[in-house]
PDB file of all heavy atoms in Angstrom:
ATOM      1  N   ASP R  79     118.308  87.466 145.635  1.00 90.00           N
ATOM      2  CA  ASP R  79     117.036  87.794 146.132  1.00 90.00           C
ATOM      3  C   ASP R  79     116.012  86.762 145.723  1.00 90.00           C
ATOM      4  O   ASP R  79     115.865  86.557 144.393  1.00 90.00           O
ATOM      5  CB  ASP R  79     116.565  89.169 145.550  1.00 90.00           C
ATOM      6  CG  ASP R  79     115.222  89.680 146.088  1.00 90.00           C
ATOM      7  OD1 ASP R  79     114.598  88.824 146.709  1.00 90.00           O
ATOM      8  OD2 ASP R  79     115.005  90.863 146.008  1.00 90.00           O
ATOM      9  N   GLN R  80     115.461  86.088 146.620  1.00 90.00           N
ATOM     10  CA  GLN R  80     114.477  84.908 146.333  1.00 90.00           C
ATOM     11  C   GLN R  80     113.070  85.476 145.957  1.00 90.00           C
ATOM     12  O   GLN R  80     112.141  84.697 145.410  1.00 90.00           O
ATOM     13  CB  GLN R  80     114.431  83.997 147.409  1.00 90.00           C
ATOM     14  CG  GLN R  80     115.695  83.284 147.730  1.00 90.00           C
ATOM     15  CD  GLN R  80     116.036  82.149 146.756  1.00 90.00           C
ATOM     16  OE1 GLN R  80     115.226  81.235 146.620  1.00 90.00           O
ATOM     17  NE2 GLN R  80     117.265  82.229 146.151  1.00 90.00           N
ATOM     18  N   SER R  81     112.844  86.787 146.195  1.00 91.00           N
ATOM     19  CA  SER R  81     111.447  87.226 145.906  1.00 91.00           C
ATOM     20  C   SER R  81     111.102  87.232 144.478  1.00 91.00           C
ATOM     21  O   SER R  81     109.883  87.349 144.115  1.00 91.00           O
ATOM     22  CB  SER R  81     111.345  88.644 146.544  1.00 91.00           C
ATOM     23  OG  SER R  81     112.118  89.575 145.815  1.00 91.00           O
ATOM     24  N   VAL R  82     112.088  87.260 143.549  1.00 92.00           N
ATOM     25  CA  VAL R  82     111.744  87.187 142.175  1.00 92.00           C
ATOM     26  C   VAL R  82     110.939  85.988 141.805  1.00 92.00           C
ATOM     27  O   VAL R  82     110.175  85.955 140.803  1.00 92.00           O
ATOM     28  CB  VAL R  82     113.044  87.177 141.208  1.00 92.00           C
ATOM     29  CG1 VAL R  82     113.833  88.523 141.459  1.00 92.00           C
ATOM     30  CG2 VAL R  82     113.877  86.008 141.517  1.00 92.00           C
ATOM     31  N   PHE R  83     110.906  85.003 142.700  1.00 93.00           N
ATOM     32  CA  PHE R  83     110.202  83.711 142.290  1.00 93.00           C
ATOM     33  C   PHE R  83     108.796  83.878 142.394  1.00 93.00           C
ATOM     34  O   PHE R  83     107.939  83.083 142.028  1.00 93.00           O
ATOM     35  CB  PHE R  83     110.662  82.584 143.060  1.00 93.00           C
ATOM     36  CG  PHE R  83     112.122  82.045 142.790  1.00 93.00           C
ATOM     37  CD1 PHE R  83     113.030  81.959 143.770  1.00 93.00           C
ATOM     38  CD2 PHE R  83     112.425  81.844 141.548  1.00 93.00           C
ATOM     39  CE1 PHE R  83     114.441  81.599 143.442  1.00 93.00           C
ATOM     40  CE2 PHE R  83     113.784  81.503 141.235  1.00 93.00           C
ATOM     41  CZ  PHE R  83     114.646  81.281 142.098  1.00 93.00           C
ATOM     42  N   ASP R  84     108.291  84.976 143.050  1.00 92.00           N
ATOM     43  CA  ASP R  84     106.888  85.146 143.262  1.00 92.00           C
ATOM     44  C   ASP R  84     106.161  85.376 141.826  1.00 92.00           C
ATOM     45  O   ASP R  84     104.942  85.257 141.832  1.00 92.00           O
ATOM     46  CB  ASP R  84     106.643  86.414 144.190  1.00 92.00           C
ATOM     47  CG  ASP R  84     107.176  86.057 145.591  1.00 92.00           C
ATOM     48  OD1 ASP R  84     107.367  84.913 145.948  1.00 92.00           O
ATOM     49  OD2 ASP R  84     107.412  87.147 146.312  1.00 92.00           O
ATOM     50  N   THR R  85     106.839  86.015 141.015  1.00 91.00           N
ATOM     51  CA  THR R  85     106.261  86.115 139.672  1.00 91.00           C
ATOM     52  C   THR R  85     106.873  85.255 138.556  1.00 91.00           C
ATOM     53  O   THR R  85     107.996  84.783 138.741  1.00 91.00           O
ATOM     54  CB  THR R  85     106.443  87.574 139.126  1.00 91.00           C
ATOM     55  OG1 THR R  85     107.778  87.987 139.184  1.00 91.00           O
ATOM     56  CG2 THR R  85     105.506  88.606 140.030  1.00 91.00           C
ATOM     57  N   ASP R  86     106.051  84.839 137.464  1.00 91.00           N
ATOM     58  CA  ASP R  86     106.661  84.055 136.454  1.00 91.00           C
ATOM     59  C   ASP R  86     107.409  85.095 135.506  1.00 91.00           C
ATOM     60  O   ASP R  86     106.748  85.935 134.978  1.00 91.00           O
ATOM     61  CB  ASP R  86     105.312  83.506 135.757  1.00 91.00           C
ATOM     62  CG  ASP R  86     105.737  82.277 134.925  1.00 91.00           C
ATOM     63  OD1 ASP R  86     106.616  81.419 135.430  1.00 91.00           O
ATOM     64  OD2 ASP R  86     105.277  81.923 133.954  1.00 91.00           O
ATOM     65  N   ARG R  87     108.657  84.838 135.389  1.00 93.00           N
ATOM     66  CA  ARG R  87     109.481  85.654 134.556  1.00 93.00           C
ATOM     67  C   ARG R  87     109.753  85.091 133.208  1.00 93.00           C
ATOM     68  O   ARG R  87     109.757  83.885 132.955  1.00 93.00           O
ATOM     69  CB  ARG R  87     110.749  86.183 135.333  1.00 93.00           C
ATOM     70  CG  ARG R  87     110.589  86.866 136.552  1.00 93.00           C
ATOM     71  CD  ARG R  87     111.894  87.118 137.246  1.00 93.00           C
ATOM     72  NE  ARG R  87     112.608  86.041 137.614  1.00 93.00           N
ATOM     73  CZ  ARG R  87     113.872  86.097 137.594  1.00 93.00           C
ATOM     74  NH1 ARG R  87     114.756  87.072 137.486  1.00 93.00           N
ATOM     75  NH2 ARG R  87     114.640  84.846 137.982  1.00 93.00           N
ATOM     76  N   ARG R  88     110.139  86.019 132.320  1.00 93.00           N
ATOM     77  CA  ARG R  88     110.548  85.386 131.021  1.00 93.00           C
ATOM     78  C   ARG R  88     111.933  86.259 130.613  1.00 93.00           C
ATOM     79  O   ARG R  88     112.376  87.169 131.267  1.00 93.00           O
ATOM     80  CB  ARG R  88     109.488  85.658 129.857  1.00 93.00           C
ATOM     81  CG  ARG R  88     109.169  87.124 129.556  1.00 93.00           C
ATOM     82  CD  ARG R  88     108.785  87.239 128.077  1.00 93.00           C
ATOM     83  NE  ARG R  88     109.892  87.122 127.183  1.00 93.00           N
ATOM     84  CZ  ARG R  88     109.769  87.001 125.871  1.00 93.00           C
ATOM     85  NH1 ARG R  88     108.638  86.692 125.349  1.00 93.00           N
ATOM     86  NH2 ARG R  88     110.942  86.920 125.107  1.00 93.00           N
ATOM     87  N   THR R  89     112.567  85.716 129.519  1.00 94.00           N
ATOM     88  CA  THR R  89     113.827  86.422 129.182  1.00 94.00           C
ATOM     89  C   THR R  89     113.537  87.753 128.509  1.00 94.00           C
ATOM     90  O   THR R  89     112.630  88.107 128.057  1.00 94.00           O
ATOM     91  CB  THR R  89     114.546  85.572 128.105  1.00 94.00           C
ATOM     92  OG1 THR R  89     113.580  85.269 127.013  1.00 94.00           O
ATOM     93  CG2 THR R  89     114.990  84.162 128.528  1.00 94.00           C
ATOM     94  N   ASP R  90     114.438  88.711 128.951  1.00 92.00           N
ATOM     95  CA  ASP R  90     114.240  90.047 128.242  1.00 92.00           C
ATOM     96  C   ASP R  90     115.608  90.564 127.872  1.00 92.00           C
ATOM     97  O   ASP R  90     116.636  89.769 127.918  1.00 92.00           O
ATOM     98  CB  ASP R  90     113.482  90.889 129.131  1.00 92.00           C
ATOM     99  CG  ASP R  90     114.113  91.318 130.437  1.00 92.00           C
ATOM    100  OD1 ASP R  90     115.455  91.387 130.441  1.00 92.00           O
ATOM    101  OD2 ASP R  90     113.430  91.511 131.464  1.00 92.00           O
ATOM    102  N   GLU R  91     115.663  91.829 127.555  1.00 92.00           N
ATOM    103  CA  GLU R  91     116.967  92.376 126.889  1.00 92.00           C
ATOM    104  C   GLU R  91     118.112  92.331 127.967  1.00 92.00           C
ATOM    105  O   GLU R  91     119.301  92.377 127.640  1.00 92.00           O
ATOM    106  CB  GLU R  91     116.700  93.775 126.318  1.00 92.00           C
ATOM    107  CG  GLU R  91     116.335  94.778 127.361  1.00 92.00           C
ATOM    108  CD  GLU R  91     116.285  96.247 126.813  1.00 92.00           C
ATOM    109  OE1 GLU R  91     117.436  96.614 126.320  1.00 92.00           O
ATOM    110  OE2 GLU R  91     115.290  96.845 126.716  1.00 92.00           O
ATOM    111  N   ASP R  92     117.794  92.362 129.275  1.00 93.00           N
ATOM    112  CA  ASP R  92     118.886  92.360 130.355  1.00 93.00           C
ATOM    113  C   ASP R  92     118.924  90.995 130.935  1.00 93.00           C
ATOM    114  O   ASP R  92     119.781  90.868 131.841  1.00 93.00           O
ATOM    115  CB  ASP R  92     118.698  93.382 131.276  1.00 93.00           C
ATOM    116  CG  ASP R  92     118.744  94.835 130.681  1.00 93.00           C
ATOM    117  OD1 ASP R  92     119.586  95.056 129.832  1.00 93.00           O
ATOM    118  OD2 ASP R  92     117.873  95.757 131.074  1.00 93.00           O
ATOM    119  N   HIS R  93     118.100  90.067 130.636  1.00 94.00           N
ATOM    120  CA  HIS R  93     118.174  88.703 131.278  1.00 94.00           C
ATOM    121  C   HIS R  93     118.009  87.613 130.117  1.00 94.00           C
ATOM    122  O   HIS R  93     116.970  87.379 129.585  1.00 94.00           O
ATOM    123  CB  HIS R  93     117.044  88.512 132.150  1.00 94.00           C
ATOM    124  CG  HIS R  93     116.944  89.623 133.279  1.00 94.00           C
ATOM    125  ND1 HIS R  93     116.311  90.726 133.089  1.00 94.00           N
ATOM    126  CD2 HIS R  93     117.539  89.563 134.552  1.00 94.00           C
ATOM    127  CE1 HIS R  93     116.505  91.564 134.215  1.00 94.00           C
ATOM    128  NE2 HIS R  93     117.219  90.883 135.078  1.00 94.00           N
ATOM    129  N   TYR R  94     119.227  87.056 129.705  1.00 96.00           N
ATOM    130  CA  TYR R  94     119.232  86.084 128.723  1.00 96.00           C
ATOM    131  C   TYR R  94     118.846  84.690 129.233  1.00 96.00           C
ATOM    132  O   TYR R  94     118.468  83.851 128.579  1.00 96.00           O
ATOM    133  CB  TYR R  94     120.549  85.917 128.026  1.00 96.00           C
ATOM    134  CG  TYR R  94     121.053  87.155 127.266  1.00 96.00           C
ATOM    135  CD1 TYR R  94     122.359  87.141 126.613  1.00 96.00           C
ATOM    136  CD2 TYR R  94     120.180  88.187 127.188  1.00 96.00           C
ATOM    137  CE1 TYR R  94     122.794  88.292 125.817  1.00 96.00           C
ATOM    138  CE2 TYR R  94     120.695  89.321 126.365  1.00 96.00           C
ATOM    139  CZ  TYR R  94     121.948  89.372 125.819  1.00 96.00           C
ATOM    140  OH  TYR R  94     122.399  90.306 125.021  1.00 96.00           O
ATOM    141  N   THR R  95     118.891  84.544 130.578  1.00 95.00           N
ATOM    142  CA  THR R  95     118.409  83.333 131.231  1.00 95.00           C
ATOM    143  C   THR R  95     117.702  83.760 132.476  1.00 95.00           C
ATOM    144  O   THR R  95     118.168  84.658 133.195  1.00 95.00           O
ATOM    145  CB  THR R  95     119.485  82.431 131.575  1.00 95.00           C
ATOM    146  OG1 THR R  95     118.959  81.076 132.021  1.00 95.00           O
ATOM    147  CG2 THR R  95     120.505  82.932 132.492  1.00 95.00           C
ATOM    148  N   VAL R  96     116.577  82.990 132.852  1.00 95.00           N
ATOM    149  CA  VAL R  96     115.886  83.328 134.096  1.00 95.00           C
ATOM    150  C   VAL R  96     115.437  81.973 134.632  1.00 95.00           C
ATOM    151  O   VAL R  96     115.329  81.009 133.989  1.00 95.00           O
ATOM    152  CB  VAL R  96     114.636  84.204 133.998  1.00 95.00           C
ATOM    153  CG1 VAL R  96     114.994  85.570 133.603  1.00 95.00           C
ATOM    154  CG2 VAL R  96     113.638  83.590 133.038  1.00 95.00           C
TER     155      VAL R  96
END
Side-chain angles (χ1 to χ4, degrees):
Chain R
D79 188 343
Q80 298 281 307
S81 68
V82 294
F83 291 131
D84 296 340
T85 53
D86 203 36
R87 297 182 299 154
R88 61 153 288 159
T89 53
D90 64 32
E91 60 174 303
D92 295 321
H93 303 86
Y94 294 177
T95 184
V96 293

